[in-house]
Amino acid sequence: MVMSTSISHAPAPRHRRSRARSALVLGMAGLLAAAGVTALSGTAEAASTLGAAAAEKGRYFGAAVAAQHLGESGYAATLNTEFNSSTPENEMKWDAVERTRNSFTFGAADQIVNHAQSRGMKVRGHTLVWHSQLPGWVGGLGAADLRSAMNNHINKVMQHYKGKIHSWDVVNEAFQDGNSGARRSSPFQDKLGDGFIEEAFRTARAADPAAKLCYNDYNTDGINAKSNAVYNLVRDFKARGVPIDCVGFQSHFNSASPVPGDYQANLKRFADLGVDVQITELDIEGSGTAQANNYSNVVKACLAVSRCTGITVWGVTDKYSWRASGTPLLFDGNYTKKPAYHAVLSALGGSG
Ligand code: G2I
């Protein structure tokens, strides 16, 4: 081996010089920061929107979006300014995209995806296999036909959006409420048995290998019989190599179903199985300081779990919420920021 011992006096290559310069700048920034000087050409200013503040924490902050409101200026302006991820609220559901067998209509969902993509937002796909908002023809099929219809639905929808969806809710709400930990009755469960979830995830992986595949549910936000059942499913999938990348915690809260004290511990135990966790449909009924504190606690729990990769609130404004009378969101009907908005922004490390 020939080793050169000559010391070159030529100027360092450009990349080394610029690295040295960056090191110097960083060093000076460190000294200034240590001296309490923070406003170094604006770089240290706190982010002033939810999406930007979440991005500084390596996360996204999204909203459920309804295509029919995109033409309303206050709605679009709030969405575009504050959020960096969109979830179609109803437009990707089975009854919206395949009302008639093997005839697909993507118009409304495409509107949301195009809106998001042209503004650099991510898109969550919601949802492929769910017992609700399911056209009647699906429930009328025999087992063999249902299996092929389920796989066809997953294939066609995922292929249409291939490369455009960061995470898909592949299966939604497959477990019962209460203490049984049992599966919920649905055409899929009743005719295909427990294996339908595994089959849906395997089909989804092949249809768009780049999309993260999530199981999504509600009342699984704390440690309880239902979340234990989902936990066991995910643990089994990971042990057997069944593809699953993430678990969605819907997080619909109100006084009857408050933010659980073990919310963070629950997110953490799922993350420890080797999946990402996402807060997918957050809304918290209430108002004022109480609502703001609840929102803040949810955001802090996500930030405390490194694999909690993002938060989606289930709507932009209270007036279009699925439970508008509970005023569960961050903007009121006039798109005015509520105390809950400010609490979320500040929990994310931003300031308005
Ligand atoms: O129910 C709250 C959410 C629970 N998790 C799954 C989510 O997909 C679900 O979202 C809600 C939508 O926010 C509602 O907007 O799902 C509901 C249906 O299960 C949606 O409501 C439906 C109405 O019931 C229909 O009458 C209406 O035609 O929205 C439809 C489209 O506007």
Side-chain angles (χ1 to χ4, degrees):
M1 183 166 54
V2 179
M3 286 179 64
S4 166
T5 52
S6 71
I7 297 166
S8 167
H9 294 280
R14 184 184 295 275
H15 68 275
R16 267 179 41 207
R17 274 184 281 149
S18 67
R19 216 181 287 151
R21 209 177 299 129
S22 329
L24 183 68
V25 170
L26 281 174
M28 286 180 62
L31 285 175
L32 289 170
V37 182
T38 49
L40 188 67
S41 53
T43 49
E45 269 174 35
S48 60
T49 66
L50 303 172
E56 288 193 352
K57 302 287 187 190
R59 288 156 170 92
Y60 66 84
F61 202 96
V65 175
Q68 76 261 30
H69 303 311
L70 284 173
E72 186 184 321
S73 61
Y75 185 93
T78 306
L79 172 66
N80 299 347
T81 306
E82 293 291 342
F83 299 95
N84 58 8
S85 174
S86 294
T87 306
E89 185 174 358
N90 289 296
E91 293 78 351
M92 284 184 180
K93 292 172 180 174
W94 199 313
D95 65 352
V97 298
E98 193 189 4
R99 179 167 285 283
T100 307
R101 189 169 183 181
N102 204 29
S103 162
F104 289 84
T105 46
F106 291 114
D110 284 356
Q111 229 186 302
I112 295 174
V113 173
N114 294 338
H115 183 100
Q117 284 211 307
S118 66
R119 288 160 182 85
M121 295 181 204
K122 293 170 183 282
V123 182
R124 290 195 86 259
H126 176 80
T127 175
L128 294 164
V129 181
W130 187 28
H131 65 275
S132 182
Q133 288 174 289
L134 192 62
W137 65 264
V138 181
L141 300 177
D145 235 5
L146 177 63
R147 170 171 290 118
S148 89
M150 179 185 83
N151 289 327
N152 184 56
H153 180 80
I154 294 170
N155 279 325
K156 295 278 168 61
V157 179
M158 287 187 79
Q159 279 158 11
H160 182 79
Y161 291 111
K162 195 166 185 166
K164 298 183 175 179
I165 305 286
H166 74 81
S167 303
W168 264 110
D169 291 331
V170 177
V171 174
N172 195 42
E173 303 176 3
F175 287 89
Q176 277 179 30
D177 289 320
N179 288 322
S180 71
R183 295 292 188 84
R184 175 199 296 277
S185 166
S186 72
F188 309 105
Q189 180 66 36
D190 301 347
K191 292 177 185 162
L192 306 182
D194 283 355
F196 89 87
I197 301 185
E198 172 170 350
E199 180 151 351
F201 275 81
R202 289 191 186 279
T203 302
R205 176 65 93 228
D208 183 359
K212 297 224 181 217
L213 308 181
C214 303
Y215 176 80
N216 190 52
D217 215 328
Y218 67 92
N219 282 354
T220 49
D221 312 298
I223 297 174
N224 57 40
K226 190 173 175 184
S227 68
N228 286 345
V230 177
Y231 182 87
N232 290 336
L233 173 91
V234 176
R235 190 174 52 186
D236 172 58
F237 276 20
K238 294 302 279 185
R240 292 191 297 111
V242 180
I244 184 164
D245 306 303
C246 36
V247 176
F249 297 85
Q250 293 186 9
S251 304
H252 294 293
F253 298 122
N254 56 23
S255 54
S257 172
V259 183
D262 53 9
Y263 190 61
Q264 183 179 318
N266 190 46
L267 297 177
K268 175 78 166 60
R269 74 172 175 148
F270 277 86
D272 287 345
L273 289 175
V275 287
D276 289 345
V277 295
Q278 303 179 10
I279 297 169
T280 51
E281 304 183 12
L282 177 62
D283 55 11
I284 309 177
E285 291 188 14
S287 62
T289 312
Q291 183 181 45
N293 288 341
N294 283 325
Y295 262 105
S296 178
N297 289 337
V298 169
V299 172
K300 286 176 185 161
C302 179
L303 292 180
V305 175
S306 58
R307 291 197 77 152
C308 182
T309 58
I311 299 174
T312 298
V313 288
W314 204 239
V316 173
T317 158
D318 281 341
K319 70 177 166 179
Y320 299 139
S321 163
W322 69 296
R323 44 185 191 176
S325 63
T327 61
L329 293 170
L330 303 178
F331 294 87
D332 72 14
N334 300 313
Y335 301 99
T336 301
K337 296 168 177 172
K338 294 164 60 180
Y341 169 92
H342 296 290
V344 168
L345 184 61
S346 128
L348 288 170
S351 82

